[in-house]
Amino acid sequence: MSSTPPFHETLDLTLCGSMGRVHRLCRDAVTLAVEPLGLTQSRWTAMMHLFHLNQGCTQQELANSLGIEMPSLTRTIKQLEQQEIIARKADAEDKRSKRLYFTEQGLQLLDTLQVIIADVKEHLYADLTTEQLDTMAHGLIQMEQNARQCIRHYSGDK
Amino acid sequence: MSSTPPFHETLDLTLCGSMGRVHRLCRDAVTLAVEPLGLTQSRWTAMMHLFHLNQGCTQQELANSLGIEMPSLTRTIKQLEQQEIIARKADAEDKRSKRLYFTEQGLQLLDTLQVIIADVKEHLYADLTTEQLDTMAHGLIQMEQNARQCIRHYSGDK
DNA sequence: TTAATATAGTTAGCATGCTAAGTAAATATT
DNA sequence: AATATTTACTTAGCATGCTAACTATATTAA
């Protein structure tokens, strides 16, 4: 005899739509804050992930970290290279792969970027408890797994 | 002296990136399952929201429900109209607005769509408790508000 | 060793979100 | 009543994700 339905059900299948919206808004917030640096969302995101991976990783590794496909990254990398924020160097051992490094000015920009992002992050996570954030993070990971399995199921099943 | 940091911190600012990824994957899962119906993500999403809003709403109302801007919707509506799934009828009182209705075959398609989506949804939410889903839904809403405020702050402040 | 397969990266082009700017109708101001 | 503003929608064009198909190199199998 539940009088009120679970809150998430009022969102119905739009929980998924909600994630897309929040994702876009968070990105917009950071991108706005970061605008003076001349960076778009895909570029600052790539920079942050490259920082966490340490320099010298391959494009494939960065794409994995970002959770995007290679062609999506290729475009971004090209832009960051043109802005002389990162540089690509061919791997000596495996001539197919290219390793990514920040340039001097890229590193400087990164510093500023991190300060700004830390600030925005604080705003975005305001009024959310650590427990809440943890639950969300775990839930997202579970849903990601579910979705991947679901996709396998509906495509080839294999 | 906390030995392990909160789980979400291991994701750092990528909690936001996670949402984007999960969102894309969930959509892909549904879109795959729904493929035989000839519907893309934006189209089936619009259909579901139109259903929940009841027919006869304006494009603006549907855009609000979807959480997207009008021009994004215009394109989708046009496609749904060409597929003869929905029909637009000019409002008699306000000649600017157009009201949206399902066609006969649109309604039939909607039935099938709903069955499939209910099935996929079950997979996507598998192993997540009601409490977890509720926490996530609330967290998303809070973050959405934070992000909007943040955006106001960084743009005009006003 | 040669042929088959797999992997890193690119290019081309689609889907879906957006903003900016335009049209036409409704509403508010004077 | 005439003008100015707002609102609903469209069009044009950008940003970022994707898949498919290509090149070049590396690895595996015959």
Side-chain angles (χ1 to χ4, degrees), chain B residues 24 59-60 71 74 78 88 96-98:
Chain B
R24 266 178 275 136
Q59 295 187 193
Q60 184 64 69
T74 297
K78 197 182 290 177
R88 275 189 285 203
R96 289 169 308 177
S97 51
K98 301 176 181 172

Side-chain angles (χ1 to χ4, degrees), chain A residues 24 58-60 70-71 74-75 78 88 96-98:
Chain A
R24 265 179 276 137
T58 64
Q59 295 188 192
Q60 183 64 68
M70 287 275 290
T74 297
R75 189 202 286 129
K78 197 182 290 179
R88 275 189 284 203
R96 289 169 308 178
S97 52
K98 302 176 181 173

Side-chain angles (χ1 to χ4, degrees), chain A residues 90-98:
Chain A
D91 186 309
E93 301 190 357
D94 187 335
K95 288 176 194 163
R96 289 169 308 178
S97 52
K98 302 176 181 173

